[in-house]
Amino acid sequence: WGGNSSRALVGSGAESPAHFLQTQPSIPPRVSGSIRRKGSSRGEDHRAMTLLESARSLGLAEADISNKGPDLADKKTAQSQFHHGWNSFKADVATRLGIDPNRGMVKTIFDMAMMMGSRKTYLNGSLTILREFMRLMCDPACDRLVQLNGLKVVRAILYLMPDAPESTPERQEVEYARLLNNQPPLAAEKESKHFAQLQIRLAKLGCIDLVVACMSSENSDIILAAVMLSVTLLEGGCRPAQDMLGNVLSQSTSQPFFQQIHQVLEDSVAALKTQKRKIKQAAAERDANKAAGIASTGAELPSLGGSLLCMTELIKLMRR
């Protein structure tokens, strides 16, 4: 049994190996045989057997003592741990301050649009910060949340027109409310020359490239935000912006843009068919319940989701 190991155990006040094994359940033949077949020394055998018997006495099954390596899938990367901690921190701060996280983002987009869309902002005399921001969002490696909110910021700039003389704080509040309700800007309806100039400026700064790049995303929210931005960019029939978009889409690299449009239309048609089928089923169930004298539950039909909204925006884009 390995004299050194036995003396170490006895000397430390622990039970001897022989007494320990006599007081514990026997080792299953399969497990014992697998240990002895490894050809290790008697001392190593004893330590392994002692470990197994201790585990059994604690109620551990044999399957729990398998020789498995660490599960690499369970190991979180430093980046994922940071994102998890950051999201928890933001949620905790919002709770402590009594802030609605969704409302906070709406206000943040407004503030970012006012900052990036104004040439009065430090080092933004030629809207340099905005141009670099849009270039960053065109990168396929850009974080999806940055792309999504960035698209909303650029669209908000068109509504707020930070540097336009007619853009008073009251007017900006009205325009921003229209943006949140997905209504066209008042400036476009009134054919404001400052609005048209801003459309052309953003198109030249890279807004067209941003729309085309984000249309290749696999995220449906980003695709919808890109389509909505393009609709606002072409609002009122801005011919220079239309020509720039047409030039970009005439290139072979714009194929993902048309593929996404095709996919969105297919998804929307499929969603409409599914909804029509569910409406018929619900009507049949109501009639059957009525005939049986059972009160109808009045359950709401599932929403069509973003597919129908995105199709609507695509139709708007085609009409521009």
Side-chain angles (χ1 to χ4, degrees):
W1 288 101
N4 293 335
S5 300
S6 300
R7 286 193 296 273
L9 288 169
V10 174
S12 62
E15 296 177 341
S16 66
H19 181 270
F20 181 85
L21 293 176
Q22 291 174 0
T23 58
Q24 301 296 324
S26 60
I27 301 176
R30 179 172 60 82
V31 178
S32 177
S34 65
I35 295 175
R36 291 191 176 91
R37 281 196 297 270
K38 292 182 179 179
S40 57
S41 65
R42 292 176 62 86
E44 292 176 350
D45 284 349
H46 164 66
R47 288 192 290 271
M49 292 169 65
T50 302
L51 176 62
L52 288 172
E53 293 295 348
S54 299
R56 285 175 55 83
S57 67
L58 294 175
L60 297 177
E62 292 178 25
D64 297 330
I65 319 173
S66 58
N67 185 26
K68 293 182 179 179
D71 189 357
L72 298 179
D74 293 338
K75 290 186 176 181
K76 295 182 177 179
T77 63
Q79 183 179 5
S80 64
Q81 289 177 336
F82 171 80
H83 282 301
H84 176 73
W86 177 246
N87 290 332
S88 300
F89 170 75
K90 290 192 296 183
D92 182 66
V93 170
T95 301
R96 292 175 181 272
L97 298 179
I99 300 174
D100 182 358
N102 296 326
R103 182 61 188 172
M105 181 54 66
V106 169
K107 184 65 170 64
T108 300
I109 291 173
F110 180 96
D111 293 339
M112 291 184 66
M114 290 296 296
M115 178 189 70
M116 292 188 177
S118 176
R119 288 173 291 180
K120 299 177 183 177
T121 302
Y122 181 64
L123 296 180
N124 199 38
S126 300
L127 299 182
T128 307
I129 297 176
L130 177 60
R131 183 182 68 245
E132 291 301 313
F133 183 53
M134 290 192 291
R135 186 182 61 83
L136 169 67
M137 289 189 290
C138 291
D139 190 342
C142 181
D143 184 83
R144 291 189 298 178
L145 189 59
V146 173
Q147 280 186 326
L148 177 60
N149 290 319
L151 289 166
K152 295 178 180 180
V153 168
V154 177
R155 187 179 182 219
I157 291 174
L158 290 166
Y159 276 77
L160 299 177
M161 298 190 299
D163 290 337
E166 66 266 27
S167 294
T168 62
E170 293 78 13
R171 173 72 175 270
Q172 290 171 344
E173 290 291 340
V174 172
E175 290 284 23
Y176 197 59
R178 292 179 66 87
L179 181 147
L180 297 177
N181 293 323
N182 197 27
Q183 297 173 330
L186 287 174
E189 295 180 355
K190 296 181 179 181
E191 299 182 356
S192 168
K193 66 175 183 179
H194 294 101
F195 179 74
Q197 291 171 355
L198 183 58
Q199 287 176 305
I200 298 171
R201 176 179 285 271
L202 292 188
K204 291 180 177 179
L205 286 175
C207 192
I208 298 292
D209 295 332
L210 173 62
V211 168
V212 174
C214 290
M215 280 296 294
S216 62
S217 173
E218 297 179 356
N219 186 290
S220 58
D221 292 333
I222 293 177
I223 294 173
L224 176 59
V227 174
M228 296 173 91
L229 172 58
S230 62
V231 170
T232 306
L233 186 66
L234 303 179
E235 193 74 55
C238 182
R239 186 56 183 269
Q242 290 176 344
D243 292 340
M244 282 184 275
L245 178 61
N247 291 334
V248 172
L249 295 181
S250 63
Q251 301 175 12
S252 59
T253 54
S254 64
Q255 183 178 1
F257 181 89
F258 295 102
Q259 290 175 339
Q260 285 289 15
I261 290 179
H262 177 71
Q263 188 63 48
V264 167
L265 293 176
E266 280 195 339
D267 292 343
S268 300
V269 171
L272 287 171
K273 290 181 178 179
T274 301
Q275 187 73 345
K276 184 178 180 180
R277 184 176 65 254
K278 290 180 178 180
I279 290 173
K280 290 183 177 180
Q281 291 175 352
E285 290 177 3
R286 283 196 301 268
D287 293 341
N289 290 337
K290 184 178 180 180
I294 302 174
S296 178
T297 57
E300 294 183 1
L301 292 173
S303 172
L304 289 174
S307 296
L308 183 59
L309 177 59
C310 198
M311 183 175 67
T312 304
E313 294 300 317
L314 279 174
I315 294 174
K316 289 181 183 179
L317 176 60
M318 295 175 185
R319 294 179 60 186
R320 297 299 185 272

